[in-house]
Amino acid sequence: MEGEGTKLEGVYARLGQELLRLRLQRGLSLRKLARQLGMTAHSGIVDYERGVRIPPADLMTTYVQVLKPDGNRLAQLYEAAVAARAQQRVLDSIQTEIPLGPADVEWVARQYVEQIMALNNVVRALEELTSKLSAAIA
């Protein structure tokens, strides 16, 4: 669709800018942050900060532990990037499989993204429950 690449890049860029801001605010070099994230190289961090890619969920969890952001801005930006990526993937696959009009494609993509977001909320709730249960057992 027209303009989707730019929209996706903008969402990734906002997440990247926040990751860069937090890293600099914490006084971490790329190499030091890479070590703290358990990465062997810092090139992935460069891609994340430039908005070329978004970190996988497990790495994002570690990012939050290391960078300790205030509030939920980082989480919101990450969720927006993941949702935008999912929507773009749905749009790309629908465009090639089903001859639909633009409004139909947008509607299907929105439904898909809403379902992904709901599942992400379930996963977060299960992770919190697991953490609380682990703490109670220990």
Side-chain angles (χ1 to χ4, degrees):
M1 294 186 77
E2 194 78 23
E4 283 298 322
T6 304
K7 178 180 171 186
L8 188 63
E9 291 163 6
V11 173
Y12 282 22
R14 286 190 296 279
L15 173 62
Q17 289 165 358
E18 184 65 6
L19 290 171
L20 173 62
R21 185 187 72 76
L22 288 168
R23 178 176 64 81
L24 295 175
Q25 185 179 50
R26 300 296 181 263
L28 297 170
S29 68
L30 287 167
R31 286 183 175 81
K32 187 170 184 178
L33 178 59
R35 281 192 304 274
Q36 290 186 13
L37 293 175
M39 300 171 70
T40 56
H42 66 277
S43 59
I45 294 172
V46 172
D47 286 349
Y48 303 143
E49 290 181 356
R50 287 184 179 165
V52 175
R53 298 178 13 213
I54 60 173
D58 59 333
L59 183 59
M60 197 64 204
T61 300
T62 308
Y63 252 115
V64 169
Q65 292 169 349
V66 170
L67 297 177
K68 296 175 179 49
D70 295 328
N72 60 353
R73 177 173 166 71
L74 182 60
Q76 289 173 340
L77 289 170
Y78 182 71
E79 286 184 16
V82 169
R85 178 179 61 191
Q87 185 173 11
Q88 187 60 49
R89 287 178 178 171
V90 170
L91 288 171
D92 291 346
S93 68
I94 290 172
Q95 297 274 357
T96 60
E97 296 175 11
I98 306 170
L100 298 174
D104 297 322
V105 171
E106 286 290 331
W107 181 85
V108 169
R110 274 195 308 277
Q111 297 302 309
Y112 182 77
V113 169
E114 287 175 14
Q115 293 300 314
I116 288 173
M117 298 303 287
L119 288 172
N120 283 339
N121 289 335
V122 170
V123 168
R124 271 195 298 281
L126 288 172
E127 287 172 344
E128 288 177 20
L129 180 59
T130 301
S131 177
K132 288 178 183 178
L133 288 173
S134 296
I137 292 171

